[in-house]
Amino acid sequence: MTAKILMVIAALLALQLATSRVVWASDPSPLQDFCVADNNSKVFVNGFVCKSMDDVKAKDFFTYGLDKPGNTINKLGSNVRAVNVNTIPGLNTLGISMARIDFAPRGLNPPHTHPRATEILTVLEGELYVGFVTSNIGQTNRLFTKILKKGDVFVFPQGLVHFQFNRGHTRATAIAALSSQNPGTITIANAIFGSKPSISDEVLAKAFQVDRKIVDRLQAQFWMDNNN
């Protein structure tokens, strides 16, 4: 009898550990109806402190303007409008956010990652060439790509480098949903060549197997783009 009880306890502990991994792999689950972010609190936590229920208003769950195209007059020809916990405080602890992405003809949302979220994207207008690259599997990083047309949907797994490119000659628009209230974005080129302070040109030259002068030019270009 004791052996059976111990087996049951061991099974329950294993289940608890497995469940804990699932919980901590994403945003923390809510323990109440909602936890509207209190942006005025000086307490630092992983996320945001809850606003008092008595102070919560309907506007805490609202934003507007996603019907309007973003300004794509820039070097990349794209514009991302994120709707996350910084925009809607009511998203705090709910583990979801979204974005509208507008593309000029030949516009690009460059290779980037979301360290805290999986992304699912649907095209509202135009046509996009999209893809993601796997993590290091042996010596190979596999590329998965697809041409998306209006109404098509594509998923970018959490943390993987991905991109969207409007290869057409008309505007394109997409809506993305993400599995975090604050997904984070790391744009690869900006992180590598535009970090502050700069990564050593010797390190980058060796990593990319190019001359250090090329790295110096790229870093100088990124510095100029971000300071003009």
Side-chain angles (χ1 to χ4, degrees):
M1 188 69 177
T2 303
K4 288 184 178 180
I5 292 173
L6 289 173
M7 287 177 66
V8 170
I9 292 172
L12 289 173
L13 286 171
L15 178 61
Q16 183 180 19
L17 286 171
T19 305
S20 297
R21 289 192 189 100
V22 172
V23 170
W24 289 108
S26 60
D27 289 2
S29 299
L31 299 176
Q32 55 202 36
D33 288 349
F34 48 78
C35 170
V36 173
D38 182 357
N39 294 320
N40 295 318
S41 174
K42 298 187 182 303
V43 177
F44 183 80
V45 297
N46 183 24
F48 294 88
V49 173
C50 301
K51 182 186 290 189
S52 168
M53 289 284 192
D54 295 335
D55 296 330
V56 173
K57 308 293 183 185
K59 67 180 182 180
D60 292 320
F61 303 91
F62 172 79
T63 193
Y64 62 93
L66 235 59
D67 58 317
K68 295 179 173 58
N71 183 4
T72 58
I73 303 175
N74 53 61
K75 290 188 176 182
L76 292 172
S78 68
N79 181 285
V80 179
R81 179 180 174 186
V83 180
N84 53 38
V85 69
N86 299 304
T87 311
I88 302 180
L91 285 174
N92 190 37
T93 76
L94 298 185
I96 193 169
S97 60
M98 65 181 296
R100 171 177 172 143
I101 314 167
D102 289 287
F103 301 84
R106 315 301 291 179
L108 172 69
N109 189 15
H112 62 282
T113 73
H114 301 297
R116 295 182 288 276
T118 291
E119 175 181 345
I120 183 168
L121 177 138
T122 183
V123 176
L124 302 183
E125 176 188 5
E127 183 176 293
L128 294 176
Y129 168 64
V130 306
F132 67 86
V133 181
T134 65
S135 56
N136 301 351
I137 302 174
Q139 298 298 315
T140 304
N141 298 92
R142 290 190 62 191
L143 172 64
F144 293 85
T145 63
K146 191 73 175 174
I147 302 297
L148 303 184
K149 298 182 180 180
K150 183 177 179 179
D152 290 347
V153 178
F154 197 80
V155 173
F156 305 99
Q158 180 173 338
L160 298 187
V161 176
H162 60 283
F163 62 88
Q164 299 105 24
F165 175 57
N166 178 11
R167 64 178 196 168
H169 299 286
T170 60
R171 292 183 61 87
T173 305
I175 290 288
L178 300 109
S179 62
S180 172
Q181 67 183 42
N182 188 22
T185 301
I186 302 172
T187 304
I188 305 304
N190 292 357
I192 297 296
F193 296 107
S195 67
K196 295 181 181 179
S198 299
I199 299 173
S200 163
D201 58 359
E202 184 177 4
V203 170
L204 294 181
K206 189 152 192 172
F208 288 98
Q209 294 294 290
V210 297
D211 190 276
R212 289 171 66 171
K213 292 180 180 179
I214 295 175
V215 173
D216 291 339
R217 284 200 297 269
L218 287 169
Q219 288 178 323
Q221 185 62 53
F222 271 88
W223 188 89
M224 289 175 59
D225 290 345
N226 292 315
N227 289 277
N228 289 334

